[in-house]
Structures are given as structure tokens and as C-alpha cells.
């Protein structure tokens, strides 16, 4: 979108990837708890999702310079390390494609053996 957008505004898109389920932005997700900073209520212990949205709308609808265009276009949560990271490209150039071959009747142990 940032390269192919039809207008300058469309090319200023942002991407937020959090450890949340569809429609749910709380923590824990299922059996996983990624820590307090993973919740949308307090992203990276710095801002909440509502404030992030307000800055977006203030910029595009009210013309207020909220400084958001000077920030990285991508903010993502790294599960396992449980940290937020700012990125400038998607997909990440350093990403490594990994194929997983799942089969019926498998369990965590057989999946682990296939992955390693």
C-alpha cells in the first residue's frame, strides 16, 4: 500500500500487529500470556490503542500534526521475546520462509519433532 497507493494519503498507511485474537485485544489469549505490555490497553507500556486511533483521526480528519508520520510505519509484537518492535517494511526482508507439514492425529510432540 505504501508503494502502490493511488494518493499520497494512501501511501502513508500504518500497520499494527499485536498478539490478539480477532475481536479481542486483551491478554492472555487462550492459554498464552504475553505480559501486560502486550495488551491493546497499554501497547509497549507507552500508549493505548484508543490513543493511537485518536492520533490517526486527528491527523487525517482534523489536520492536526500528531507526529505519527515521523514514526515507523509498522509496529509489531514479537511473541516469545514479548516486546514491541518498530519496522519499516512488510514483509520483513530478513524473514525466512518455513514450511510446516502437519498431519491428522498429530500432537505437540510430533509437531515439535517435525519442526526441529
Amino acid at each position: 500500500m505504501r508503494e502502490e497507493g493511488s494518493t499520497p494519503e494512501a501511501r502513508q498507511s500504518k500497520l499494527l500487529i499485536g498478539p490478539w485474537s480477532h475481536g479481542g485485544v486483551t491478554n492472555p489469549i487462550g492459554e498464552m500470556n504475553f505480559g501486560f505490555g502486550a495488551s491493546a490497553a497499554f501497547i509497549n507500556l507507552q500508549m493505548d490503542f484508543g490513543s493511537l486511533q485518536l492520533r490517526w483521526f486527528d491527523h487525517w480528519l482534523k489536520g492536526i500534526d500528531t507526529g505519527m508520520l515521523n514514526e515507523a510505519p509498522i509496529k509489531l509484537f514479537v511473541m516469545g521475546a514479548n516486546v514491541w518492535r518498530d519496522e519499516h517494511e512488510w514483509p520483513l526482508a530478513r524473514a525466512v520462509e518455513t514450511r510446516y507439514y502437519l498431519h491428522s492425529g498429530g500432537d505437540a510432540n510430533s509437531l515439535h519433532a517435525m519442526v526441529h
Side-chain angles (χ1 to χ4, degrees):
M1 289 179 68
R2 293 183 67 80
E3 293 176 10
E4 304 290 331
S6 60
T7 65
E9 293 80 12
R11 291 187 294 276
Q12 294 299 318
S13 62
K14 299 277 189 172
L15 178 61
L16 176 68
I17 302 174
W20 312 307
S21 63
H22 181 72
V25 292
T26 59
N27 198 23
I29 298 297
E31 296 177 4
M32 299 301 297
N33 187 334
F34 297 107
F36 183 71
S39 74
F42 216 47
I43 297 171
N44 201 24
L45 306 177
Q46 296 175 356
M47 70 184 90
D48 63 90
F49 187 60
S51 296
L52 192 63
Q53 288 177 310
L54 184 60
R55 289 178 63 215
W56 177 263
F57 291 126
D58 279 350
H59 177 85
W60 293 111
L61 300 179
K62 295 182 177 180
I64 299 171
D65 182 3
T66 61
M68 57 172 266
L69 294 184
N70 299 325
E71 298 170 4
I74 301 163
K75 182 176 285 296
L76 58 87
F77 187 81
V78 181
M79 294 186 288
N82 295 351
V83 296
W84 286 93
R85 195 167 61 211
D86 290 340
E87 296 289 346
H88 293 275
E89 61 187 1
W90 190 263
L92 302 176
R94 65 185 180 277
V96 176
E97 182 177 325
T98 304
R99 294 179 186 263
Y100 293 97
Y101 299 94
L102 305 178
H103 57 86
S104 63
D107 59 19
N109 291 330
S110 62
L111 177 60
H112 184 266
M114 287 186 289
V115 172
H116 290 67

